Amino acid sequence: MPELPEVETVRRHLAERIEGDVIRGVEVRLSRIVRHPAVDAFADRLRERAIRRVERRGKYLLFQMDGVLLVSHLRMEGRYAVADPSEPEAPHTHVIFRLGSGRELRYADVRQFGTMDAVLEGEPLPRGLAELGPEPFDPSLNGAALGRLWRGRRAPIKSLLLDQRQIAGLGNIYVDEALFAAGIHPLTPAGLVGAEALDELLREIRDVLSRAIREGGSSVRSFRDGYGRHGGFQIQLAVYGRTGEPCPRCGGTIQKIKVAGRGTHVCPACQRNPIARTAETGVNA
């Protein structure tokens, strides 16, 4: 699933190309992509609306228009492209927005998991978007705030970092990378991590996200940006997807484990598991 850097990359490219353009018509070929309202009403709400801004919240793309907000979640394989009508369509193109400039904004999704909502001003935000936690770059987010939020929590820290209600936009790739950079084992109970260590973790989260955005995201599987280009950050990944390879820090072997049902990449030497240490010593945490 595209994470914050990939969605931000798409946002920037779409903003360059379609901000100020007007939606003249909407063709929905796969109705389940549209969650709210019904397909005909969805198209009516967007017709003749100018796209004022393309924004991002967590992993959501937000198309700001006068009186209406188009909320789009790419999920696993969603992809936008701006094209001339004469250009061949990508396979699995499910929604086409015909623009006043004569171009088309096309949405393709091979897995068909993506969603769209057209929300009128005054209507409640879609589920998921309304419950998002703070952005990772929110200056009010710090180690002390996270410590208060997670006080007493025994859940693994990775599972909370993946919870969009805690911090918005993080996913499997960048959580693994940030935890490695901060030297925190993904299974560490969140309530055991102190404020200073959480401050360091936030610094690493912001650093890895910033570097990934500069490189246009990570094309670990099929991600492409708004111009159809692959991201470049995958070659800089330290642990994600590098099972069995040497750790870039200590030379040990990177392992893959399961945390919250997700494949998780860790260096057991650089990221000591406090649960395992407790079991070895017989001391209660």
Side-chain angles (χ1 to χ4, degrees), residues 191-268:
L192 297 184
V193 184
E196 289 187 7
L198 290 172
D199 272 328
E200 174 63 19
L201 175 60
L202 284 170
R203 283 193 290 271
E204 298 297 351
I205 287 172
R206 289 160 178 160
D207 176 69
V208 71
L209 293 177
S210 296
R211 290 189 289 120
I213 290 170
R214 286 197 297 270
E215 296 296 329
S218 299
S219 291
V220 173
R221 292 181 180 84
S222 59
F223 169 72
R224 297 190 182 208
D225 65 20
Y227 291 101
R229 302 176 301 205
H230 291 288
F233 192 67
Q234 61 275 7
I235 64 174
Q236 298 184 32
L237 295 173
V239 292
Y240 184 86
R242 302 197 181 280
T243 306
E245 297 183 20
C247 169
R249 182 180 294 148
C250 74
T253 303
I254 296 170
Q255 296 180 358
K256 186 175 182 180
I257 62 175
K258 284 279 190 179
V259 180
R262 306 294 299 276
T264 299
H265 305 82
V266 60
C267 172

Side-chain angles (χ1 to χ4, degrees), residues 161-172:
L161 290 170
L162 291 175
D163 184 345
Q164 300 301 293
R165 297 168 298 180
Q166 308 290 318
I167 303 177
L170 300 179
N172 213 32

Side-chain angles (χ1 to χ4, degrees), residues 105-127:
L105 175 62
R106 299 171 178 175
Y107 177 79
D109 192 342
V110 64
R111 300 287 290 276
Q112 303 178 6
F113 291 154
T115 61
M116 295 183 189
D117 297 80
V119 183
L120 293 178
E121 188 173 348
E123 286 186 335
L125 293 174
R127 62 184 185 274

Side-chain angles (χ1 to χ4, degrees), residues 21-41:
D21 215 332
V22 177
I23 297 174
R24 296 301 187 196
V26 182
E27 180 183 352
V28 178
R29 298 172 179 174
L30 185 67
S31 61
R32 69 168 171 265
I33 297 290
V34 175
R35 294 196 307 182
H36 174 80
V39 169
D40 288 346

